[in-house]
Amino acid sequence: MTPAHTPSPLAGRSLRAPVLWGIAFGAIQAAAPLGFWWLDPATVYALSLTLIAAVYIGFAVADGRPRVIAVEAGITGAFVVVAAAGVTGPAWLLVLGLAGHGFKDLWQHRRQYVGNTRWWPPFCLVVDWVAAAILVVLVVVGVDFHHSLFQLRQANAPGPIRGRWQQGRPAGGRLRRPSSRRQRHDGQRRTGLTTRSPARDALTEQL
């Protein structure tokens, strides 16, 4: 027997708190690439979209109805596909994913398809739409979503530094240095940069 849908627990109550917290967390989500500077922004936004979409699977499991679990798992899978495409595709895919999930939150808030979500749908709706709006601005002004802040910093470094960074940079991320005094001496001999000694020069002239 399927339990009847319960009315929204927020009916007749103020949505001010979820909306205000949603605005704050939406701005934090839009700024998330600053905290993950070694990843490109598209990857960070795709991960956040996946995590947001997956929250409803937890609500569906708590609801307990197999049909609800199946529907929410399918919807989450669709958002995961959009997020994965946005990692290497146009940034507009990420905007579409966030805005689309906001509409899903609105539908959940009105219909209460999944039980006991309480304040989450309006909160998540505002988070999604605030982040999507900020991403629209970033796309319009030409922000690069497919290069990390670390890569952009190295690309804008002075010529000699950038050359040293791009040439001979090992997989570990640091420039290689001779590991011993003998190796440094051998390298100087091969490049003709061996340090000259006055005593050695005098001895050579006497011979």
Side-chain angles (χ1 to χ4, degrees), residues 100-156:
H101 195 268
F103 282 108
K104 198 271 182 188
D105 291 319
L106 180 61
W107 175 77
Q108 166 62 26
H109 178 61
R110 290 179 176 273
R111 294 290 303 275
Q112 290 296 304
Y113 180 72
V114 184
N116 299 319
T117 53
R118 302 180 62 186
W119 50 266
W120 179 261
F123 165 77
C124 190
L125 181 154
V126 176
V127 172
D128 292 334
W129 285 357
V130 168
I134 295 176
L135 261 64
V136 168
V137 175
L138 296 178
V139 172
V140 171
V141 300
V143 172
D144 188 352
F145 281 72
H146 299 293
H147 290 86
S148 66
L149 297 177
F150 180 78
Q151 293 172 325
L152 294 176
R153 183 182 303 172
Q154 295 304 323
N156 294 328

Side-chain angles (χ1 to χ4, degrees), residues 148-196:
S148 66
L149 297 177
F150 180 78
Q151 293 172 325
L152 294 176
R153 183 182 303 172
Q154 295 304 323
N156 294 328
I161 297 178
R162 184 170 62 251
R164 289 179 62 196
W165 183 265
Q166 295 175 347
Q167 298 177 5
R169 177 172 171 78
R174 295 183 179 179
L175 294 174
R176 292 178 179 174
R177 299 181 62 182
S179 58
S180 67
R181 184 175 181 181
R182 181 181 181 84
Q183 290 181 1
R184 290 195 295 269
H185 179 70
D186 292 343
Q188 291 174 347
R189 291 181 59 185
R190 286 194 298 269
T191 57
L193 297 177
T194 305
T195 304
R196 300 187 63 181

